[in-house]
Amino acid sequence: MSANLSTTFDDKNSETSTLTSPTLVLNCGSSSIKYALISDDNSTRITGLAENLGLDTARIKHTTLNGDKLEISIPGGSHKLALQKILEILEQYHFIAVGHRVVHGGREYSQAVRVDQHALEEVKRLKILAPLHNPANALGIEAVQAIYPDIPQVVVFDTAFHQTMPPVAFRYALPKYLYEEHKIRRYGFHGTSHAYVSERASQVTEAKGPHGWITAHLGNGCSATAVYDGKSLDTSMGLTPLEGLMMGTRSGDVDPSLHMHLKRQLGISLEETDKMLNSESGLLGISGLSNDLRTIEQAASEGHKDAQLAIEMFCYRAGKYLASLSCALPEFTGIVFTGGIGENSVTTRASILAVMRHFGIKMDAEKNAGLYGGQEGSFQAEGSSVELWVIPTDEEYRIAQETRQALNLV
């Protein structure tokens, strides 16, 4: 099938010429691989997703430069096989570098770095903090090395953007040796998204800088960050992505003694509680229906009480967190919504802002209603204390940008 696919692409040589000095971005998850081939000026890209890896339904969904959608079935396909197929599809476009999204970089990495043996070993070692993601990230690096040993690779860490947080924000109130000897601290995640949308907000605002933004990345995974003058000063996620906001299947903040309470009272093991908090809680746990807000909103509109509560809790806890993060900012310019929910759910944005009723925020309901499906824009009303923005995130572009910077290609 790959031969036929290559033939299809070879018939489109005019497309190939528009993809100048492209960078390949790989985002290897626990059961999927998201990829994008992006031209050096970000004007054109090829995208795709390998999903359901390891299952009979494993497949690659590929979108060409002109928007054609193709699908390759790879029943039982592993990460390694999927990566081989992806690289085979993209080989003719002669990418000059590969940037990998890596979830956890620990406290050593505050920026993207070129892959060497030490960096690869650190990605593998940090699986203790990101067991579902870092091993897959390492596999992606090694797969590219095996096929294209001479193409430079860069690792772009989710945690790196948050390395500018001060100790008052990143330290836990725990014995000092746990931090100094075992690196137990708050790291934060979704760094490439928060970096991209805060930078974009500073480009499009008319407010004089330096700017202070609260960026709200709301999707199946949710986090919020206080960004001032381009630097993260505090964020909602912690040692792992579980801390902070209520999410699709993650609980967000709970009493730290919950694990021991459930073990003593119900005989639930620490591992079972960890799985429950990460995979069975959040919107799914409260609604009992789904982790997809669209499904929950539909049920809520039909009178489903648990669905209504799930939405109310999600918005209340998000608003409470955004309010608290304002304490980190020397100046509060505005709030930026992004992610699948943040970019598309008009009612959720309005409900979150209603929680922050003491801040003097004024929303233009008509402008808010028009911002969904990839639209960028502001929606504050006249006299609002802060600006309000919806900015679609583009983590792939940010990763490509940081990859080229790390290799001095810009």
Side-chain angles (χ1 to χ4, degrees), residues 120-289:
L120 179 57
E121 288 172 359
E122 278 296 284
V123 171
K124 291 179 176 179
R125 185 183 69 80
L126 288 164
K127 70 179 182 182
I128 57 173
L129 295 176
L132 294 179
H133 295 91
N134 271 43
N137 301 152
L139 191 63
I141 295 168
E142 291 177 325
V144 175
Q145 280 181 338
I147 300 173
Y148 298 107
D150 297 327
I151 288 185
Q153 300 189 75
V154 169
V155 279
V156 181
F157 300 99
D158 262 14
T159 51
F161 180 63
H162 301 296
Q163 287 295 297
T164 52
M165 288 194 297
V168 69
F170 73 67
R171 284 285 296 273
Y172 287 114
L174 297 171
K176 189 176 181 179
Y177 80 92
L178 287 172
Y179 168 67
E180 293 188 335
E181 298 176 26
H182 302 286
K183 303 178 177 62
I184 304 300
R185 52 159 286 177
R186 303 181 67 249
Y187 288 98
F189 299 88
H190 292 143
T192 52
S193 179
H194 292 296
Y196 175 82
V197 298
S198 59
E199 181 178 67
R200 177 63 183 160
S202 288
Q203 291 170 349
V204 294
T205 182
E206 294 181 359
K208 293 182 179 179
H211 304 118
W213 302 107
I214 294 177
T215 52
H217 179 107
L218 307 177
N220 190 49
C222 300
S223 65
T225 297
V227 183
Y228 181 71
D229 198 17
K231 297 179 177 62
S232 171
L233 298 185
D234 200 356
T235 193
S236 59
M237 285 180 168
L239 176 72
T240 74
L242 182 59
E243 184 179 348
L245 304 177
M246 178 175 164
M247 310 180 210
T249 64
R250 295 185 187 120
S251 64
D253 291 346
V254 295
D255 187 323
S257 293
L258 177 65
H259 292 70
M260 288 306 300
H261 178 78
L262 294 179
K263 187 173 188 297
R264 292 187 186 119
Q265 298 297 315
L266 302 176
I268 299 176
S269 70
L270 297 181
E271 291 75 17
E272 288 171 328
T273 298
D274 185 66
K275 180 184 177 185
M276 176 188 72
L277 294 177
N278 277 285
S279 305
E280 301 164 5
S281 300
L283 289 170
L284 172 63
I286 298 299
S287 72
L289 298 172

Side-chain angles (χ1 to χ4, degrees), residues 42-59:
N42 194 37
S43 63
T44 50
R45 68 178 68 184
I46 292 170
T47 61
L49 173 70
E51 60 183 4
N52 303 328
L53 299 181
L55 304 176
D56 288 341
T57 53
R59 59 186 177 176

Side-chain angles (χ1 to χ4, degrees), residues 315-388:
C315 295
Y316 171 70
R317 293 179 61 158
K320 186 168 70 168
Y321 244 106
L322 298 188
S324 68
L325 283 170
S326 69
C327 298
L329 296 174
E331 298 288 340
F332 188 4
T333 308
I335 301 170
V336 182
F337 291 93
T338 194
I341 294 173
E343 294 169 26
N344 294 294
S345 182
V346 172
T347 55
T348 298
R349 292 195 298 260
S351 296
I352 289 171
L353 293 171
V355 174
M356 303 175 70
R357 55 190 173 276
H358 303 301
F359 279 70
I361 298 171
K362 296 181 180 180
M363 180 190 76
D364 185 316
E366 186 176 344
K367 288 182 179 178
N368 182 42
L371 292 169
Y372 60 90
Q375 293 293 315
E376 175 185 279
S378 62
F379 62 102
Q380 70 273 4
E382 187 175 349
S384 179
S385 60
V386 298
E387 296 181 13
L388 303 171

